[in-house]
Each structure stands twice: as structure tokens, then as C-alpha cells.
Amino acid sequence: MSTLPVLLTAALIAGQPRAGVDAFNQALADATRRMDDSAIVALWEPDGVSLLPSTRPIVGRAAIAAFVTSVTSGLKGARMTRYDQGCHDVEIAGDTATEWCVEHQVVALADGSTFDGWGKLLLVLHRGADGRWRLRREMWNQAAAADSSALR
Amino acid sequence: MSTLPVLLTAALIAGQPRAGVDAFNQALADATRRMDDSAIVALWEPDGVSLLPSTRPIVGRAAIAAFVTSVTSGLKGARMTRYDQGCHDVEIAGDTATEWCVEHQVVALADGSTFDGWGKLLLVLHRGADGRWRLRREMWNQAAAADSSALR
């Protein structure tokens, strides 16, 4: 796209909070599916907090970037063959949005084995001065079982 | 307390969002420490969602009440000897508040053994028409390790 349509799209999204959250969710799914470190980190606010199991709270975009890099560098040669995500009960209050999601990922590992996992996310988003929604807080835990209906 | 001081306190809390969230946190800690099912359930909104590890999303106060009862009925004779909780980064947007907490619980079980566990919480609260804050969404996962500094 040239610059003008991009700016128009951004302006449109800024004026429609729910559309902006949907755009965030799509960007999160795309970045995760591609295992694209810099695209994932760009979805975070500078003072975001990530709360992962058996891990100390990861506070701030720099610490989150270091963590993401450490995870993907431990997965050299891996490729995500599938990532699906369904987010529910989006609620928006001013520049704050919350939602919970169910995700399913399938990763082909370098040794030929496959990781197939299901998880849940609780997300708090914040809308920046540019109208874009970014992650402010995230927590993840394991899902109970495969549940394709929750991915819609 | 007689009725008037209670009403005055409620009015005061309703007018001071942060004080209301602090009061919620205190009530959550007290109810958890006492393992008081009905007090815990009363802290939830009717359409609250609890997201626990390896568990399907628990949606609605009735389902949450049934879950709490199932947990405590499996813990007959147990007593929580210690519960500490530190909540961080309280942010309030209108009638929505978010915060993340670290908790430490020590439970004396009926068989004489002790459960000593640390966890993290991501909470979304909503302020009702009565001015009180209640749980709208909660997620829990395991903490990395004992971290007393996070309990303050």
C-alpha cells in the first residue's frame, strides 16, 4: 500500500475502537504464526507486563524483547505450521480494552518432532496516541484440552 | 458498625476509585485466607470469567460458585495458615480497573501435610452501580519462585 491508504486505514481504525482491537488480534496472530520477534515486540507498549507460567513477571518492552529472542533462539529451525486464536468478550473502556482468547499452535521442530499445544490468554490492551492498540498486560496458561469451538 | 457509617464508607469508596480497588484487594485476601466460599463468590460479577490452568474457562457467577465449592469440598479439614498478596500497577479507566498480583499461600491439609504455593494473578475489575469493585476476569498461573518482595 502507498502511504495515503495506510494513513486512512489508521484513521479509520482509531475512530472505531472494536475494529482497532480486531486489527490488533489479527496482527498478534500473524506475528505469532510467523514467529516474527520484532513484529511481536512491536505489539507491546513500552511498559507492558507479560505474566507467563513459572516465570517472573517480565516488565517493559526491552525485557519482553530479550525474552522473545531467548525463546526463538532456542527454537532454531522450527516453523509454526498452524496458529489459530479466538478472542472473546472484548470490552472497551476509553483507551483500555480487555479480552480473553484461546489459542492452538502446532510447531514443526528441527528434530522432526511436532509440538501441538493449546492455551488461554487474558489480555489488557491500551490505545496509544496514534490510535493503535498495543499489549499492556498479558497472562497465559494451559488450556484444558483441544476446543476448536473456542477458536471462533 | 451501624448503617450510617457503612453507607458513608461505601459512598467514600465509590468516589475514590483507587481506594475502592484497595478495598476489593483486601476483601479478596480476607475471603481467600478464610477459605470462605460465599465471600469469594460475592466478589464476582454475575458474568465474570475465571481462567485457571488446564481448566476450561469458567463463565458466570453460578459456574464459579460451583467450581469454588468443588475445590473446597475436596479440602475438608484444611486450613489456610497464611495468605499474602501484593497487587501492582493498578490502572483505572472509568468503571474498569486492571492490576496484576503475586500471591503466597500456605495450607495445612487434613492429613497433616502442608501445601506451600506461589502464584500470579491478572485481574480485571468492574465497578458496579453500587460503587463496589468486583471481579470481571481473572487468570492465574504459577509463580517462578518464592518472591517476598512482590507481596508488597
Side-chain angles (χ1 to χ4, degrees):
Chain A
M1 279 197 284
S2 70
T3 306
L4 189 58
V6 170
L7 289 177
L8 287 174
T9 303
L12 193 68
I13 285 174
Q16 298 179 329
R18 176 55 203 253
V21 172
D22 291 344
F24 166 87
N25 289 340
Q26 188 63 54
L28 176 63
D30 290 347
T32 303
R33 197 178 288 118
R34 294 197 314 269
M35 298 173 70
D36 181 335
D37 289 9
S38 61
I40 291 169
V41 171
L43 293 172
W44 280 90
E45 292 230 311
D47 55 355
V49 179
S50 178
L51 301 163
L52 302 178
S54 304
T55 304
R56 281 185 189 275
I58 308 169
V59 180
R61 192 153 56 193
I64 290 165
F67 183 84
V68 170
T69 301
S70 76
V71 170
T72 51
S73 68
L75 287 170
K76 280 206 194 313
R79 191 173 58 87
M80 198 169 291
T81 56
R82 179 158 195 171
Y83 179 82
D84 296 302
Q85 166 189 289
C87 294
H88 306 275
D89 298 343
V90 173
E91 291 184 350
I92 298 171
D95 291 327
T96 297
T98 69
E99 60 181 343
W100 60 274
C101 309
V102 172
E103 59 86 15
H104 176 215
Q105 54 189 286
V106 181
V107 183
L109 299 168
D111 66 2
S113 66
T114 299
F115 170 81
D116 186 326
W118 290 76
K120 304 189 294 296
L121 291 156
L122 180 54
L123 303 180
V124 179
L125 310 180
H126 183 256
R127 182 167 50 180
D130 61 356
R132 286 191 180 272
W133 294 87
R134 293 182 183 83
L135 273 167
R136 194 160 190 88
R137 288 108 192 253
E138 132 191 291
M139 185 177 264
W140 182 94
N141 68 23
Q142 200 160 354
D147 180 8
S148 301
S149 67
L151 296 177
R152 287 192 294 270
Chain B
M1 282 198 281
S2 69
T3 306
L4 189 60
V6 170
L7 289 177
L8 287 173
T9 304
L12 193 68
I13 286 174
Q16 298 179 328
R18 176 55 202 253
V21 172
D22 291 344
F24 167 86
N25 289 340
Q26 188 63 54
L28 176 63
D30 290 346
T32 304
R33 197 178 289 119
R34 294 198 312 270
M35 299 172 69
D36 182 335
D37 290 9
S38 59
I40 291 168
V41 172
L43 293 172
W44 280 89
E45 292 228 312
D47 55 354
V49 179
S50 178
L51 301 163
L52 303 178
S54 304
T55 303
R56 282 186 189 275
I58 308 169
V59 180
R61 192 154 57 193
I64 290 165
F67 183 83
V68 170
T69 301
S70 76
V71 170
T72 51
S73 68
L75 287 170
K76 280 208 193 312
R79 191 173 58 88
M80 198 169 292
T81 56
R82 181 160 192 167
Y83 179 82
D84 296 303
Q85 165 189 290
C87 294
H88 306 276
D89 298 344
V90 173
E91 291 184 351
I92 298 171
D95 292 326
T96 297
T98 69
E99 59 181 343
W100 59 275
C101 309
V102 172
E103 58 87 14
H104 175 215
Q105 55 188 283
V106 181
V107 182
L109 300 168
D111 66 1
S113 67
T114 299
F115 170 81
D116 186 325
W118 290 75
K120 305 190 292 296
L121 291 157
L122 180 55
L123 303 180
V124 179
L125 310 181
H126 183 256
R127 182 167 49 180
D130 62 357
R132 288 190 179 273
W133 294 88
R134 293 182 184 82
L135 274 168
R136 196 161 188 87
R137 287 109 191 252
E138 133 193 289
M139 185 178 263
W140 182 96
N141 68 24
Q142 200 160 355
D147 180 7
S148 301
S149 68
L151 296 177
R152 287 191 293 270

